[in-house]
Every structure is written in C-alpha cells, then in structure tokens.
Amino acid sequence: MATKSKTAGPATFEELLTEIRQREGTLSPSHKKLAERVMSDPEAVAFMTISELAAAVGVNEATVVRFATGLGLKGYPGLTRLCRERLQEQAQLLRRFDNLEHMAADGAGLLEQTVALDQANIARTFARIEDSTWDSAVEHLARAPRVHVMGLRKCHAPAYLLGYLLRMLREDVETVNASVGSLTDDLRRVREGDCFVAMSIHRYSVDTVRAAEWARHSGAHVIAFTDNASSPLAASAHDTFYIDASSASVLRSMTAFTSLAQAMSGGVAQLLGHRVRETLLEEEKLLSSFSVYVTDAATGKPQ
C-alpha cells in the first residue's frame, strides 16, 4: 500500500516563507544560504536554472534539489513556481501604482478601489487566522500579568487603539511609545509571563523588532501583527498574524490592522466575561464624575 504524505507542501510563497522560518534553526549551512537567497531575492530565483542558483549560492545542484524537497515541494520546479507567483503579485502591485495618477483624476474610481481593497484586506487577513493561534493570543492578552503593546510610525495608530481597548477591559496594559529615548525604560518593565504585542510592516522598525526580540528573551509571550512571513517580527513571535495592507494609493492601508485589533479586544472581553462588565461600570462612574463627555442640557446625560 502506498504511504500517504504526512502534510502537503507550501501552496503559496507566504507559506514557503513560514516553512523556512520554522526550520531556520535546523537548516544546514548550505541550506541556510539557499533559504536566504529565496527570501531576499525571489524575483531572481524565479527564472534561474538549478545550475545558476547552485553557482550563485556556492552549492551543488543536488543540494538545491534536497533543499526544495525537504520543504515539501515537488523538486526545484516547485520552488521556482512559488517564486514566479510572488513575482506576478509584485507586478500587479506595480501596475496599480502606475495607474494611480489616472485613478486620482476620477475621484469616484479611487474611492471605489479603496473600498474594494480594504474589504479584500480584511477578508484575506481573517481567513488566514488559525483557531489555535487566535485562542492562544486572546488567552495571553486576557490572562497575562501585564500586556505591553508596541507599534511605531504608521503602526502607532492600531497599537494605540489595541492598548486603549484592552485598558478598558483589564488592568496593567501599557502602550510602548519609545518616545524621547524611553524605549529601554519601557522594556525594563517586561517580565517573564507577560504578553508583548509588536506591530510593524515593511519597512520594519528596528526598535520594534529589537523590542520583540528582547521581550521573547525575557520570557514574555510575543504576538506579532505584521505583513508577511519574511518579516523579522515573525522570528520572535509565538503567535503571528499576517495582515494585508494593499492600497489604491502609495500609502499602505491600516484598515485590516484596526479590524483585527478591535476583534481581538472583543475576544478578550468575551473570555473575561462578567469581570469586564464590572470594569466598564466602574469606568463609567469615573467618566461621569469627571464630566469627560458633553452632556445633553435637557437630560444631563452624555450625548
């Protein structure tokens, strides 16, 4: 009887990157060289012959074949196929940027394109989330002694939102701003058993990547919000969420980041149950006593 393979090989370039990341610590020196070339320059690998790749990396052709089959691919053709698919995706992105000026001339067209892309970003992002990854992340966000959330530059907004929402649900949540050289002060408070959320997309913030590495080294459970498996954040994370950020403009979309932050906060609220209700009632009393919101003149209640 024929033996059925245990698992199917990577079906997309992103899955290939994930597989390489997972095996990074066990790869031989020659296979590491091949992995680095594939991750850093898939466009070139897409059209290299097996002999050209072997020569470029400094290994023999048999090593290239073993590398590809070891990743669950159907030999070297399976590797180049995924690299070519990656190249096609990048070409589509470039074509979209080339058409940007024409789209901008038609405001309705740009708006429609933006809506369509953001809907697709959210759908693709949530479709990739595995139940086990989701459950693990929500559990640690709800139960860890302290939660630290970090996102710089364009990722600051979704990081701030997640930190704000979590602080409404539980105690000991901090947003790491790394402002005025305070990053090391913030990281000094990261302890074993804490939860550290790091957000960054290409081009990746050095401070965020280093902070995630430090948090993991300190024994914290690291959750990454990033854009693809080649992200340096993926190497430090226990739970990684790959978020689509395609946009109709040259500015990448953060809509799916925001949606995931809100969904994750909802998951924490659901897990904590009645404790959240008590916390929110206490919050409302405090807000009311400090007259934080504008009140209706007739009823005296917040508008």
Side-chain angles (χ1 to χ4, degrees):
M1 180 181 293
T3 303
K4 186 178 181 180
S5 60
K6 295 181 180 179
T7 57
T12 66
F13 186 79
E14 299 300 334
E15 290 181 6
L16 174 63
L17 291 177
T18 300
E19 188 72 20
I20 290 174
R21 287 285 188 190
Q22 291 175 344
R23 296 169 180 248
E24 213 164 23
T26 62
L27 293 176
S28 66
S30 58
H31 283 194
K32 283 183 179 178
K33 291 180 181 179
L34 288 164
E36 289 170 1
R37 177 57 66 95
V38 169
M39 289 192 294
S40 64
D41 196 9
E43 292 82 4
V45 174
F47 296 102
M48 281 183 172
T49 65
I50 188 171
S51 58
E52 288 172 339
L53 178 58
V57 177
V59 299
N60 58 49
E61 295 180 18
T63 300
V64 177
V65 174
R66 285 195 294 270
F67 171 73
T69 56
L71 293 171
L73 300 171
K74 294 182 178 179
Y76 186 64
L79 177 63
T80 56
R81 177 181 62 80
L82 295 184
C83 290
R84 288 175 185 174
E85 289 178 0
R86 170 71 167 187
L87 184 59
Q88 290 174 350
E89 293 172 0
Q90 294 300 313
Q92 291 172 358
L93 181 62
L94 290 174
R95 280 196 296 271
R96 188 169 72 244
F97 284 175
D98 288 339
N99 292 332
L100 179 59
E101 291 184 1
H102 300 292
M103 293 170 57
D106 180 2
L110 179 59
L111 289 176
E112 292 171 358
Q113 183 80 349
T114 299
V115 171
L117 284 171
D118 276 339
Q119 289 175 334
N121 286 337
I122 295 171
R124 286 194 297 262
T125 295
F126 282 79
R128 281 198 297 260
I129 299 174
E130 296 183 1
D131 289 343
S132 59
T133 303
W134 173 264
D135 292 342
S136 173
V138 170
E139 177 72 23
H140 283 89
L141 287 173
R143 310 292 191 196
R146 181 178 293 175
V147 175
H148 313 260
V149 185
M150 181 175 183
L152 303 180
R153 299 177 69 81
K154 69 182 65 177
C155 288
H156 172 71
Y160 175 83
L161 175 64
L162 179 61
Y164 174 81
L165 293 175
L166 290 175
R167 279 192 295 274
M168 293 181 65
L169 305 175
R170 52 156 295 167
E171 302 293 330
D172 297 316
V173 177
E174 298 183 3
T175 301
V176 180
N177 294 313
S179 59
V180 198
S182 65
L183 178 58
T184 54
D185 295 330
D186 293 331
L187 294 181
R188 194 170 61 242
R189 290 190 283 272
V190 178
R191 299 284 187 272
E192 183 176 358
D194 285 358
C195 183
F196 191 94
V197 183
M199 301 186 188
S200 190
I201 60 176
H202 184 80
R203 296 175 293 173
Y204 308 101
S205 164
V206 172
D207 282 345
T208 304
V209 172
R210 288 179 176 174
E213 292 172 349
W214 172 263
R216 175 142 188 167
H217 176 74
S218 300
H221 185 90
V222 178
I223 300 171
F225 282 31
T226 191
D227 49 0
N228 62 72
S230 65
S231 164
L233 283 183
S236 300
H238 296 88
D239 300 319
T240 306
F241 295 88
Y242 298 114
I243 303 172
D244 278 50
S246 298
S247 170
S249 78
V250 294
L251 302 175
R252 302 187 72 188
S253 171
M254 305 306 292
T255 301
F257 272 83
T258 302
S259 293
L260 183 57
Q262 292 179 160
M264 200 161 280
S265 301
V268 171
Q270 185 178 47
L271 187 61
L272 293 178
H274 69 278
R275 288 171 51 192
V276 169
R277 183 174 182 277
E278 295 172 358
T279 301
L280 292 178
L281 287 174
E282 189 65 30
E283 173 82 1
E284 283 301 316
K285 291 180 183 178
L286 190 60
L287 292 172
S288 177
S289 65
F290 275 79
S291 302
V292 172
Y293 298 118
V294 175
T295 57
D296 184 280
T299 64
K301 295 180 179 181
Q303 291 184 346

